[in-house]
Amino acid sequence: MMQAPISSSLSALIFDVDGTLAETEEMHRHAFNAAFRAAGLDWHWTSGLYRELLTTTGGKERIRAYIRDHAGGPAPSNERITLLHADKTRRYGDMMARGNIALRAGIADLITQARAAGLRLALATTTSRSNVDALILATLRQRAAHVFDVIAAGDEVARKKPAPDVYNLALERLGLPPDRTLALEDSRNGLLSAHRAGIACIVSPGPYTAGQDFSPARAVVDTFADLRLSD
Ligand SMILES: [Mg+2]
């Protein structure tokens, strides 16, 4: 069991969403493929391909990266990509609402511990606010805004992770300097985003991120259940 390296000056935990709160990447992948089929495209993202595509953060950006590197042919218009991505997001929300998702081990307990310790809770994610709301409702059966004091989502910032923008936005909304917060992430892009915002970060990789370089992390743990907040 690892004690989280927190000091009495720690005031908030900032969680990534996809891959950190829950292993959502397979559901995202299935939703992308369903949207492609519905649009009459013969694109199909296998889990092996998706592992590579995940290095591009943001859904629309990921579709563009796929077109550039794999699909070939004329590039669809920005409007078509936006519609395609909106359809994927709707399908993802429907899949989520059917409830086939659980929080990762240790996450519910960390939230409880943090609350008991008087810490504030925030989310800093490259996913959209609607995806966040769907996930929190499906897992914690509560509105995201009731569980988290601050939510900074990918559709609110110009540059997605690994840029620090979304963490800076979370800090601004928390009204805290970076050294009063601790980030929890599952990927190198997320870790770099937190690190560039000056926030210490604990990483627990998942199936799509295992083996990445986590060198700037404060600590790397197999599971968030290995983490205990203590004074
Ligand atoms: Mg993640």
Side-chain angles (χ1 to χ4, degrees):
M1 193 67 62
M2 172 184 173
Q3 302 292 320
I6 66 169
S7 67
S8 54
S9 66
L10 184 69
S11 298
L13 295 184
I14 309 178
F15 293 84
D16 168 50
V17 172
D18 289 313
T20 297
L21 290 187
E23 229 22 287
T24 49
E25 301 300 4
E26 277 300 275
M27 199 173 287
H28 278 292
R29 186 173 72 85
H30 290 310
F32 275 114
N33 284 331
F36 298 155
R37 273 196 307 278
L41 296 161
D42 64 352
W43 302 347
H44 180 78
W45 293 359
T46 63
S47 55
L49 174 62
Y50 199 56
R51 191 180 164 87
E52 175 195 324
L53 292 173
L54 275 173
T55 58
T56 302
T57 55
K60 290 189 283 285
E61 292 83 351
R62 194 166 299 150
I63 292 171
R64 287 196 191 93
Y66 170 75
I67 293 165
R68 184 190 64 225
D69 297 339
H70 299 277
S77 65
N78 280 346
E79 187 191 3
R80 177 126 202 254
I81 290 175
T82 299
L83 288 173
L84 198 54
H85 185 250
D87 185 48
K88 177 263 168 181
T89 299
R90 186 183 58 74
R91 288 168 188 278
Y92 178 83
D94 288 348
M95 289 177 185
M96 191 68 81
R98 290 199 287 275
N100 300 319
I101 194 83
L103 293 178
R104 280 188 66 185
I107 291 293
D109 189 45
L110 260 185
I111 289 172
T112 304
Q113 285 185 62
R115 283 279 182 227
L119 301 184
R120 292 160 76 203
L121 296 172
L123 296 177
T125 174
T126 48
T127 201
S128 65
R129 179 59 195 263
S130 63
N131 284 347
V132 173
D133 291 340
L135 174 68
I136 300 306
L137 199 58
T139 53
L140 289 168
R141 304 281 164 203
Q142 295 179 71
R143 289 184 48 220
H146 286 176
V147 182
F148 296 94
D149 304 286
V150 159
I151 299 173
D155 38 14
E156 299 184 283
V157 293
R159 298 176 306 156
K160 294 184 164 48
K161 298 177 185 179
D165 299 30
V166 75
Y167 273 102
N168 285 333
L169 181 62
L171 289 175
E172 187 187 312
R173 288 182 179 163
L174 284 165
L176 290 170
D179 61 358
R180 301 272 301 274
T181 69
L182 179 68
L184 299 148
E185 280 281 356
D186 71 303
S187 74
R188 173 173 170 78
N189 274 333
L191 164 65
L192 291 177
S193 174
H195 183 68
R196 288 167 184 169
I199 302 169
C201 182
I202 294 181
V203 176
S204 177
Y208 276 111
T209 57
Q212 294 181 348
D213 175 8
F214 301 121
S215 42
R218 176 69 62 88
V220 180
V221 292
D222 285 341
T223 152
F224 291 113
D226 287 343
L227 220 52
R228 282 286 169 273
L229 297 179
S230 65
D231 296 313

